[in-house]
């Protein structure tokens, strides 16, 4: 199944090639919109695809497993649906492994793959994103807050930096008279755990 995908182009120019940017856990394609616009302004022939991975952003839940491999298959379906095939993929954190998995599965290499803050081998999941996810699971599961400000405060009280808490609060949705975080935390946890257990170091060459 295809993902929600925004196309960023330089107005008045038709792209001659595409770059796909793949966000990390708890993110969405929109996080990279300003960066994508800057790239297309610098290079009018470049178009940027900003995907929302399964269980993230506007893609929501998709059928199938919560794995890096499934996310890579989603990319293939999305590019086919758009008839826009990128010559390069830039992946941040979790998105780096998704990009590597997609490139490794293609029959028509090469696909340039750039990793940002992404470890392609097996990791323990301790620290960094793992800690943020654990705090979110504690604060957000089945919790409704009176306001977005209250949701941010709950994350900060558990140890998150205010800027990170505010960034996560961009995903809140209205529920009755309050708000809640919109993540399917079980699905996100499964995606993150598979990311930690997946070794794509042989593909990082």
């Amino acid at each position: 199944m295809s993902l929600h995908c925004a196309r960023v182009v330089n107005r008045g120019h038709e792209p001659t090639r595409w770059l796909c940017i793949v966000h990390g856990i708890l993110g969405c394609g929109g996080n990279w919109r300003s960066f994508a616009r800057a790239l297309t302004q610098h290079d009018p022939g470049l178009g940027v695809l900003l995907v929302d991975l399964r269980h993230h952003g506007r893609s929501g839940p998709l059928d199938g497993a919560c794995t890096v491999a499934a996310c890579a298959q989603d990319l293939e379906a999305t590019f086919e649906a758009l008839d826009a095939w990128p010559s390069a993929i830039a992946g941040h954190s979790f998105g780096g492994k998704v990009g590597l998995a997609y490139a490794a599965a293609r029959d028509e290499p090469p696909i340039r793959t750039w990793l940002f803050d992404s470890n392609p081998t097996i990791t323990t999941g301790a620290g960094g994103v793992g800690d943020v996810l654990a705090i979110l699971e504690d604060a957000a599961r089945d919790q409704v807050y009176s306001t977005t400000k209250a949701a941010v405060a709950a994350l900060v009280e558990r140890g998150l930096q205010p800027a990170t808490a505010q960034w996560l609060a961009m995903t809140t949705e209205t529920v009755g008279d309050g708000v809640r975080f919109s993540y399917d935390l079980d699905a996100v946890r499964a995606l993150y755990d598979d990311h930690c257990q997946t070794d794509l170091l042989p593909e990082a060459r």
Side-chain angles (χ1 to χ4, degrees), residues 1-180:
M1 298 180 67
S2 61
L3 304 169
H4 175 266
C5 181
R7 288 185 278 192
V8 181
V9 300
N10 189 316
R11 185 176 298 179
H13 293 80
E14 188 67 24
T16 58
R17 64 200 189 286
W18 292 96
L19 164 70
C20 178
I21 299 180
V22 188
H23 64 81
I25 286 288
L26 302 173
C28 66
N31 300 149
W32 292 89
R33 187 174 296 276
S34 295
F35 180 71
R37 285 175 176 162
L39 288 177
T40 60
Q41 289 298 313
H42 178 73
D43 184 349
L46 178 69
V48 181
L49 303 172
L50 299 177
V51 296
D52 288 351
L53 295 173
R54 55 174 54 215
H55 298 288
H56 287 77
R58 295 174 63 183
S59 288
L62 297 178
D63 293 337
C66 295
T67 62
V68 170
C71 291
Q73 292 169 2
D74 294 340
L75 290 185
E76 176 79 14
T78 302
F79 301 149
E80 183 173 4
L82 296 173
D83 193 25
W85 298 92
S87 56
I89 294 180
H92 173 244
S93 191
F94 176 86
K97 278 191 174 178
V98 174
L100 281 175
Y102 168 77
R106 279 192 59 77
D107 294 329
E108 301 175 7
I111 298 290
R112 292 179 180 269
T113 310
W114 299 316
L115 276 62
F116 303 116
D117 193 24
S118 182
N119 185 343
T121 191
I122 295 171
T123 64
T124 64
V129 175
D131 288 351
V132 172
L133 182 54
I135 289 173
L136 189 61
E137 288 170 326
D138 179 56
R141 192 180 297 280
D142 301 322
Q143 294 292 323
V144 176
Y145 294 95
S146 58
T147 63
T148 300
K149 184 177 180 180
V152 169
L155 296 179
V156 173
E157 288 172 3
R158 288 165 172 80
L160 285 189
Q161 293 296 316
T164 302
Q166 290 166 3
W167 175 71
L168 290 170
M170 293 172 63
T171 66
T172 55
E173 59 185 3
T174 301
V175 181
D177 294 329
V179 299
R180 68 180 177 191

Side-chain angles (χ1 to χ4, degrees), residues 25 94 125-127 129-130 133 187-197:
I25 286 288
F94 176 86
V129 175
L133 182 54
V188 173
R189 168 58 70 179
L191 284 168
Y192 183 67
D193 288 347
D194 185 71
H195 155 80
C196 293
Q197 297 160 12

